Amino acid sequence: VSTQSTGMLIEHWIRAKYEWKEFHAETTQIPVYLKGVKSGTLLKKGKERGCWLQRHFMLERLNNTISYYDKASTAGQKLLGQVDLKTCYVLLTDEKIVEKPNCLHILYPRGKHMRSIYVCANSVREIIEWYYAIRSFQTQLGYSRNCVQTVYESYLLKTPAEGKGAWRRRWCILVAGRILYYKSIMDPFPKGEVKLSKEDRCEKLHNLPKHIKSGPDYIFTLSTKRRTYYWGVGSEETCTEWIKGIDAVQADLIN
């Protein structure tokens, strides 16, 4: 899970135990969200106009999906979309970055690309219950691999092909064995992606090659069969975290 997810989940566990009394001896019932059962109204970011609209979400066991409808009432209810739980990933977002509190990022393959859906709840408790519910559902179905994949996300600077051209700021996510890079955070589709293989080589760049005249203080490269990617970051810590994350993905591919 991502660093952001880890911090939020620890805080939720502490509050669930001491404030909401979910794990006390006198509480005999397991919270239903830990059984993979959940439904309710969330705000969803629109794909085209980017506005936030109320949608009714439901985990459906009949077809193992996250389904969302135009309204909660079943009278005249219209199905707007479904996400296959077998292939989706869920990420808790950082409010400081997305500028929207209590937000969840649902990522899943759609055709040849990865589609992003952002939803937000009225409280941090509600959005984390959704996070746990989806992961619990996936675990019950045997899709727990989606829950343990290495995830890292941050802004990176990226050059065009082979480092020729100006550095451009991109929102990048390391998930599902690939690096997805977006022009802007919360875009529904990435601008591009790099699928990782066990033969790829990732390392910190200590000296700029001649064809790159200037760049950020910290740069790492990802050399694939197709090309070499140059990524720039603002700190040595971020550079190291990305390299470790990519190495972990490659180790998983080997295993």
Side-chain angles (χ1 to χ4, degrees):
V1 296
S2 67
T3 304
Q4 170 66 11
S5 297
T6 302
M8 292 180 69
L9 293 175
I10 291 173
E11 179 184 353
H12 179 271
W13 185 88
I14 292 172
R15 296 186 68 185
K17 181 177 181 180
Y18 296 103
E19 182 179 342
W20 305 322
K21 313 296 184 183
E22 289 186 357
F23 307 118
H24 280 221
E26 60 269 22
T27 305
T28 57
Q29 295 293 325
I30 298 175
V32 292
Y33 68 87
L34 291 179
K35 299 178 182 179
V37 178
K38 189 73 176 170
S39 65
T41 299
L42 299 170
L43 287 176
K44 175 183 173 293
K45 189 174 188 294
K47 181 177 69 173
E48 303 297 338
R49 292 180 293 175
C51 53
W52 293 85
L53 299 172
Q54 281 193 347
R55 296 291 182 246
H56 184 71
F57 282 77
M58 184 180 298
L59 293 180
E60 297 194 311
R61 294 188 175 274
L62 182 63
N63 48 17
N64 298 333
T65 62
I66 310 168
S67 301
Y68 55 96
Y69 301 83
D70 60 341
K71 58 182 179 179
S73 173
T74 56
Q77 188 183 63
K78 182 181 179 181
L79 176 65
L80 300 179
Q82 290 182 313
V83 177
D84 188 349
L85 282 161
K86 184 178 181 180
T87 56
C88 80
Y89 297 81
V90 286
L91 311 172
L92 290 165
T93 63
D94 189 340
E95 179 182 346
K96 296 177 183 178
I97 296 175
V98 301
E99 299 180 351
K100 192 77 173 176
N102 314 323
C103 211
L104 192 68
H105 180 189
I106 302 172
L107 190 65
Y108 66 99
R110 184 172 175 179
K112 296 181 179 180
H113 304 285
M114 295 295 284
R115 167 78 161 99
S116 288
I117 291 178
Y118 286 88
V119 297
C120 70
N122 290 327
S123 68
V124 65
R125 180 179 182 179
E126 176 70 5
I127 205 64
I128 290 182
E129 285 185 4
W130 269 102
Y131 178 84
Y132 273 128
I134 293 170
R135 289 186 47 156
S136 297
F137 201 148
Q138 289 178 317
T139 301
Q140 292 168 24
L141 295 171
Y143 306 152
S144 57
R145 181 177 176 83
N146 294 41
C147 304
V148 298
Q149 285 273 352
T150 300
V151 175
Y152 197 76
E153 53 187 350
S154 73
Y155 279 108
L156 296 177
L157 295 174
K158 179 183 174 295
T159 65
E162 300 303 330
K164 298 176 182 178
W167 293 87
R168 294 182 175 88
R169 192 171 186 243
R170 299 291 184 234
W171 176 249
C172 300
I173 304 176
L174 173 63
V175 67
R178 67 193 77 192
I179 300 174
L180 306 172
Y181 55 93
Y182 300 78
K183 186 175 182 180
S184 301
I185 194 170
M186 285 189 159
D187 284 349
F189 292 99
K191 185 175 179 62
E193 66 174 56
V194 184
K195 291 185 179 180
L196 300 174
S197 72
K198 58 186 179 182
E199 292 82 15
D200 297 340
R201 188 175 73 257
C202 183
E203 57 189 358
K204 183 178 179 182
L205 188 66
H206 296 283
N207 297 300
L208 284 174
K210 292 181 180 180
H211 64 278
I212 300 181
K213 295 182 180 180
S214 62
D217 293 335
Y218 303 94
I219 300 172
F220 67 91
T221 61
L222 177 63
S223 299
T224 69
K225 290 181 179 180
R226 182 169 165 263
R227 59 174 275 196
T228 296
Y229 294 86
Y230 294 84
W231 308 91
V233 296
S235 70
E236 186 172 10
E237 179 183 3
T238 304
C239 184
T240 301
E241 288 296 326
W242 270 96
I243 293 173
K244 285 182 178 179
I246 293 171
D247 287 346
V249 171
Q250 289 181 299
D252 188 56
L253 291 172
I254 293 171
N255 296 331

